[in-house]
Amino acid sequence: LRAFRQLVVACQTAISQPTPDRPAVSRQVKQLESMIQDHLLPLPATALPPQHQSLWLSTQTELRRTLRLLRTELSFWQMARSGDRQQHCQKRLQHHYQQLSDIAQVMEQWLESMDPSPLTD
């Protein structure tokens, strides 16, 4: 989760540059996608205490949705020709990164409040 949060911060920094490096941003989105799909989404709700299962299912849905929107906006940004359209897409990318950052923060708070014993048994 910490690595995910650090990657989101790196993505936010890269897209906030006056002239973001498009290939680098694209690589970062692929890294985010890989991290979410390989490390976060596979965690089954049944591995968690019952009181946290529905929260995790909602979080998984939100991660999938935000990732899909991020990929779509990345495509629009890469194809944008006008400066205004590029800036609009850049702001939308920043928004999606912020959503992922917020999700990571909620997950961290949620995990801190959990009794660690169900995950270590």
Side-chain angles (χ1 to χ4, degrees):
L1 191 54
R2 188 172 301 136
F4 172 63
R5 183 109 152 141
Q6 290 172 344
L7 182 54
V8 170
V9 169
C11 291
Q12 288 173 312
T13 301
I15 199 66
S16 297
Q17 301 300 314
T19 54
D21 179 358
R22 289 178 189 233
V25 170
S26 181
R27 282 190 303 274
Q28 288 175 324
V29 169
K30 287 179 184 176
Q31 286 177 317
L32 268 175
E33 183 176 16
S34 176
M35 184 172 285
I36 290 169
Q37 291 178 343
D38 296 344
H39 300 287
L40 298 177
L41 293 177
L43 178 65
T46 55
L48 302 172
Q51 67 270 24
H52 296 293
Q53 291 178 3
S54 70
L55 177 60
W56 176 238
L57 292 174
S58 296
T59 302
Q60 285 176 313
T61 300
E62 190 61 25
L63 281 168
R64 285 185 190 99
R65 184 185 79 72
T66 303
L67 185 58
R68 185 180 67 247
L69 292 170
L70 180 66
R71 285 190 307 248
T72 301
E73 199 61 52
L74 177 67
S75 295
F76 290 150
W77 179 63
Q78 290 173 329
M79 293 185 303
R81 299 287 179 233
S82 75
D84 288 344
R85 182 69 182 148
Q86 289 174 357
Q87 286 180 346
H88 173 75
C89 293
Q90 194 172 341
K91 287 179 182 176
R92 296 290 305 155
L93 285 167
Q94 290 169 333
H95 173 74
H96 297 312
Y97 288 140
Q98 185 58 51
Q99 287 176 314
L100 290 173
S101 179
D102 293 346
I103 291 169
Q105 183 178 4
V106 167
M107 290 171 62
E108 287 171 351
Q109 291 170 352
W110 173 57
L111 290 174
E112 287 171 4
S113 71
M114 281 179 47
D115 176 15
S117 60
L119 297 177
T120 58
D121 289 345

